[in-house]
Each structure stands twice: as C-alpha cells, then as structure tokens.
Amino acid sequence: MSGGRREISLQLSITMLFVLLILPSLGLVIAFSYRENARNLHNLSNRFIDRARDEAIIMTTNFLEPVGATLRLVAGMAGAQPAFFRSEESRNVLYQALVSANQIDALYVSFEDGYHRVVTRIDADRRRSDPRIPPRANWHSSWVDPFDVVPRQRHRTFFETWPQPIGGYDAESDLDVRTLTQYRMAQANNGLGVADPTINPDTGYPIISLGYPIHIGGKFVGVASANITLTAMSRFLDTHKASRNSITVIARQMGDVIAHPIEAEGVRHDGGVIRVTNLTQLDEPQVVEAVQRRGQRLGRDRFIFESRGNEYIAAFSGFPSDFGKDWEVLVVTPTDDFVSGLKQTNRELLWMMVALALVEGVLIYVLARRMSRPIKVVSEAIQGIRRLSFPERLPTGSRIHEIAQLQRATALLDNALRSFAVFVPVGLVRRLIDSGKPLQPEVEQRFMTVLFSDVEGFTTLAEQLPPAELTEQTSCYFENVTAAVAEEQGTIDKFIGDSVMAFWGAPAALDDHAFHACRAALRARHRMARLGVEWAAAGRKPMRVRIGIHCGDVVVGNVGSSQRLSYTVMGDGVNIASRVEGLNKQFGTTICISDAVLAQVGDRVVSRPIELSSVRGRSGRFLVHELLGIAGSNDAELAAGADDARLCRLTAAAWSAMADGDSVEALRRYEAVQAEFPNDPVARHMLAHVAKAAHQPVAGG
C-alpha cells in the first residue's frame, strides 16, 4: 500500500493491460472493418443502382431514337412524293421501314384528308382477334379511303412471306388517325411526338406511338407514325438488374408504368377493360412501399426503407429534360443482396476473437510472469542507487533485449554515481540528482506571441469549493489549456495562481506563431466550454476561461541566479498580453487579441474590433479585437458560429462610425447589433460608451 492506494504487481498489470488492449482492439478492428466494408458495399450498391438507372435511360433513348429517325425519313419521302404513298408500291417502303427495328409493330402514314396506309406485323394475338386473318399470315398491309369516299373502306392484304399476298378483305371504316395522341403532338410540336403507353386492342399489351409531321411546301398535310411494343424494354430491364433481387421499372412521374421486367405486369384488367398499371397497383410490395415512402419523405429521390422485415434502397431518377417526357426510372434493391455475406462473416469473426482472446490471455499471463521478475529486481536496485545506498550485487543476464539494456544501464549508473561520490560529498550528489546540472543566465530579443489565460471569478470559486474539488477542477483547466498550447507548438512559461502564461517562437523559431496562438486559444475555449457542460451536468460549478494574446518584441531566455534559473519571456509585449487578457472582464468576452496579432493573421480569423486600450505607464494605444473562430475551418474546435460572421460585420460597421467620430451613427449601429444579438456583451458595453459620448440614453435602458 502507498498513499492510501493499493498497488498491484507488474505481472498482473501486464496481463490486465494486454487483455484490455487486445479485446477492444480486436473489437475495434472488427467494427471498423464492418463499417468500412458496409460503407464500401453501400457505395457499390449505389454505383450498381446508378448503372441500372443509366442503362435503363440509355436503353429507352436508344429504343426510341432509331424509330424517330425512320419516321423522319418516311415523312420526308411522303412530303416529297405524296402521291407515291397512295399507291400499292409504297407498302414496300413501309415494310422496309417496319423491319428496320425489331420493336416496331406497325408503321403508317396518315393525311389530313383521311387517307391512311399502314404495314404491321401479324402475331398469334392479332390472328385470334380477327378470324378473317389467314392462319399463316405474318404481315399485313392496308389503306383507308379519304373522308370524301363513300362508303369509306379499309382495304386489307395479308402476307406469309413478303411480298407474296395470301389473302385479304375490304371493310367499312370510320378510322380518324387525326384524333390519335402522337398525331396531335407531332402537329403541335412541328416535330417528333411521343405518346404515353396505350393498350393495343388487338394484342392486349401496351404500345408507345410516335409521330413525325409531313409537310408539303411548308404546309402540314399529315403524320408518319409508328407503334412500338415494349417487349424488348421489359426483357432488357429483366436482364440488367442492380442486384440479384432488385427491380427496375420505368414509369411516368404520375405513376403509370411504361416498362416492367415482366411485360404482363404493365397491364391490368379492370371490369373487362385492359388498362395501363399504376406503380401503386403492382404485385411487388416493396415497389408500392417505395412509392408511398417517397410521398411521405417530401420527394426525396433516394432513401432506405423497410418492407415486410427486409431493408431496401429505393432510387427515383427522372429522364433528362431534353428527352421531352415526364418519365423516370425506379430502382428498388434489397440491401441484403450486398451485406448478407458481410453479416455472416462478422459473426464468425466475433467467435474467432473470443477464442483468440482466451488463448492469448493464457500466453500473456505466462510471459508477463517471466518479464516481471527481472524488472522487479532492476527497480529495487534503482531505488537503492537513488538513495545512494548502492546494492552489493546488480541484476544481469536477461534474455530479453530491452531488459538486458536496462540492466546494463543500471550498472553504468551505479558505477558513475559510485565514482562521483568518491570526489563529491554525498549530500551534494543527492542535490545534483534532484536538480540536474547548473545552467548559466542567457537571454535574447525575439519577435514572439504571448498568451495569458485565467478563470473568471476564480476567487469566488476558491471560496465556494472544497479544496480537493477546487484542485481537481483547476488541474483539469490547466490540463486542457496546456494540451491546446502544446498541440499548436507553444511553450508553457508558468502557472500563476489560476493564470497560465504561454508563448510561441522560442526556444525554437516558429513560422506564423501568432496564428498558432489563435488556434490554441480557440481550442482551449472549446474544451473548457465542453468541460463546463459536463461539470454543470454533474452538479459542479463550471469554469469559464478568459484569454488574451499579443505579439511583439520581447526578451527570452534563462533568467535568474546561479542557484536558480527560469526559461521565460519579459518585456513590454508581455505586459500588453496580460492587459489584453484582463480586458475580457470589462467586455464580457472570452478571447481578446491585439491589433498586432490581427496584423499577423489577417483575414484567416473571424474577429471584430472592440475598443482602443492602453497599458498603464505606457504611451500609445492599441485596438483590441474579439477572436471568434478560424475562417473557413471545418474543425469543431476552431470554426466560428453560424451568426458570428454577421455579428463581426455589424460590429465592424459600428466601430468604423465611432472611429470616424460619428457618435450618432455609431450609436445607431451598436443599437442595431444589440437588437439582432440582444445577449451580446460587447454591444452593451459599447452602447454605454458611445451613448455617453453622444449624450444620449441607451436603447432599452
């Protein structure tokens, strides 16, 4: 037992230390590995989703563009030779245009006078829809009389192998292609018109109709149109998935399905009527849930959600604006497609970690026992040497390299002190061991930055707190300020009561030391504020730190007598730094810097001018600024608050008016600062100061 605390053996310490380090380390490695792998897999899933989306958009564009190009050619021919398309020879041109793309189901030209010529494919669905179609028919061509022909008829011809006809018939027709959507769009847009999917009454499957206007001498006379089936689009969506169980659907933003991986899912039967399916009517519950969640999330286009116990990623992506349609791609992917294997691997790693920890615990215990014995012997020998009670026999012969080196060093120390004690009295040797070799006074002048900090109301705190609690909190305060200074390459000069004095630029020269001092002050402020919150939550009194910074020419070096030296700084710059720190009490601020510091750091800091000040017994005045943060920093300890930049601008404008001697304008501007920032102590202080100068009452009393 020592000092009321129980001491434990080195062997137990090493064993516990290794166990405590290994278990958290292994857990940290697994957690980090899982997090990074999950993040990478999440990014990978996003890339796969984006690829599926982009491929769907490109596929759709490539699906429609060749058809549009074909229609432009046909429309051009019809405009150049309108009589040609009123002859049977034109059906060969339409047939060649039809077979130019597998997705084209029908291609036709229609004129304003009602004349209409079409070539279509014939499949089993069409043969079933019309018993007059020959069973062997694979192609169909027909034309419809103009409106002025009575009776107006449709003349149909069927082909097994083009262009050999195998049958046909005539039937009256009231077809008016001018009422079709793509016809009206082509006429209105004076360009390619793409209609949304409609149901083909012959096949019962959705089709997309495209139209391109026909002009003769600049006058609109008709439209070249094509119907395309969505089978190829459905097949593409089924084979190009983001993951094994993902679903990609193309739909209108209103919800109507354009293309689904299963073509039959794109339609539904409603009271005997075939309609285009809406996203909310699909049989995939995860797709329906994604659409509903999107509405609840106010239009968010990518999110994670749960449906029936499974987690999914949903991504909605609209087609480019130049596509001209309000279509979008929806990709719904289960996250287990990417992370299920990772979860299983983590469970296996956890069991491996437990087994490894047990084995290592036993090995570490044995090794710690072997290591602790020689170290204990060396420790006892060193204690004897420190008391100058030299042991008769020193430990040697360890097989562990570091312990063997320690044994040899102990032997050298024993020999050196034994020899020195022969020539010097033992009492003086003890003093030299405690204090080190003597140094000589030596100073130099340097341009440096000096920082002072203290605790607001420390005297009152010292009266209110028990000594043990005061010591503990003060030590925490010193620890935080010291750490902040050290992180910014500063040197602690001394502790004066509750004050800390630090400087930058010595012993080693340091570039940009004023900026380092500003960063250290901000870190100390942030850490003490955080510590104050913890103390307040624990029912303890917080400590509010106040800091002042100044840079200038000072004297630095070893100062003192031959019996005692101190490495410190002295001079006018130190006095100004102390004065700047003390002004925090007057202004109600936390960090004040002099104009000399601001001249060094420039606009890299967020600061505002406060007031001209001076040091008693020293001529001349300097402008004091409040330091609020580092401009543009993402470090939570250094970044300024959200409203600090505006506060600085308002205060700077008020100070500028005051510096120009316009007390009335300065008063008005400081009142504006206080109106927007009613708790700003600087505004309150300067209002009183300026109001006194202007002989006006302060707003708000």
Side-chain angles (χ1 to χ4, degrees), residues 14-28:
I14 295 175
T15 303
M16 293 176 60
L17 180 62
F18 272 81
V19 169
L20 291 175
L21 287 177
I22 287 174
L23 291 179
S25 298
L26 289 175
L28 182 62

Side-chain angles (χ1 to χ4, degrees), residues 541-559:
K541 293 185 178 297
M543 288 183 169
R544 182 174 179 270
V545 66
R546 299 183 301 201
I547 301 172
I549 308 173
H550 174 69
C551 59
D553 291 324
V554 294
V555 173
V556 60
N558 295 318
V559 179

Side-chain angles (χ1 to χ4, degrees), residues 671-684:
E671 287 175 344
V673 175
Q674 190 178 46
E676 189 167 341
F677 300 91
N679 297 322
D680 181 30
V682 172
R684 288 197 300 270

Side-chain angles (χ1 to χ4, degrees), residues 81-292:
Q81 304 178 58
F84 174 75
F85 284 92
R86 296 176 186 260
S87 66
E88 287 293 348
E89 289 82 1
S90 64
R91 68 189 182 188
N92 291 322
V93 174
L94 294 179
Y95 170 80
Q96 294 299 326
L98 174 70
V99 298
S100 65
N102 292 331
Q103 63 267 34
I104 302 179
D105 183 63
L107 201 143
Y108 45 98
V109 292
S110 311
F111 295 90
E112 283 285 279
D113 64 355
Y115 185 85
H116 170 76
R117 181 173 290 276
V118 61
V119 174
T120 68
R121 302 176 191 269
I122 297 293
D123 56 14
D125 291 323
R126 275 199 172 94
R127 285 191 288 268
R128 283 193 299 269
S129 67
D130 188 351
R132 291 173 293 179
I133 298 176
R136 294 182 292 111
N138 294 315
W139 309 96
H140 156 255
S141 172
S142 68
W143 56 278
V144 179
D145 294 320
F147 294 124
D148 58 0
V149 174
V150 180
R152 187 169 178 246
Q153 291 186 319
R154 181 171 188 166
H155 311 277
R156 308 189 71 176
T157 305
F158 301 95
F159 307 83
E160 180 180 7
T161 302
W162 192 275
Q164 304 301 324
I166 61 173
Y169 66 86
D170 297 338
E172 289 191 8
S173 174
D174 59 353
L175 175 67
D176 188 353
V177 179
R178 297 175 303 173
T179 63
L180 299 182
T181 302
Q182 82 277 7
Y183 190 105
R184 296 197 305 270
M185 292 178 66
Q187 182 179 11
N189 299 338
N190 197 27
L192 184 67
V194 181
D196 290 320
T198 57
I199 301 300
N200 187 325
D202 294 336
T203 64
Y205 285 102
I207 57 171
I208 295 177
S209 299
L210 295 82
Y212 197 87
I214 301 171
H215 293 91
I216 299 178
K219 180 181 178 181
F220 175 83
V221 297
V223 172
S225 303
N227 296 339
I228 60 177
T229 60
L230 305 180
T231 303
M233 291 179 68
S234 295
R235 189 180 303 117
F236 183 92
L237 295 179
D238 184 52
T239 56
H240 292 70
K241 298 181 178 181
S243 66
R244 183 176 64 256
N245 298 304
S246 73
I247 297 175
T248 303
V249 182
I250 301 174
R252 294 185 60 200
Q253 291 184 359
M254 298 298 293
D256 290 340
V257 174
I258 306 295
H260 188 280
I262 303 174
E263 187 178 11
E265 290 290 332
V267 297
R268 63 184 179 88
H269 297 268
D270 186 5
V273 179
I274 303 176
R275 303 182 188 276
V276 175
T277 303
N278 190 277
L279 286 174
T280 58
Q281 298 168 333
L282 291 174
D283 291 334
E284 292 90 353
Q286 66 272 32
V287 176
V288 177
E289 183 77 10
V291 174
Q292 294 173 347

Side-chain angles (χ1 to χ4, degrees), residues 557-592:
N558 295 318
V559 179
S561 65
S562 58
Q563 286 76 33
R564 188 182 182 103
L565 296 174
S566 175
Y567 190 83
T568 188
V569 292
M570 298 184 302
D572 183 55
V574 178
N575 297 333
I576 296 177
S578 177
R579 169 61 175 161
V580 171
E581 184 277 319
L583 290 174
N584 283 292
K585 180 177 181 181
Q586 178 180 341
F587 301 141
T589 52
T590 299
I591 305 175
C592 282

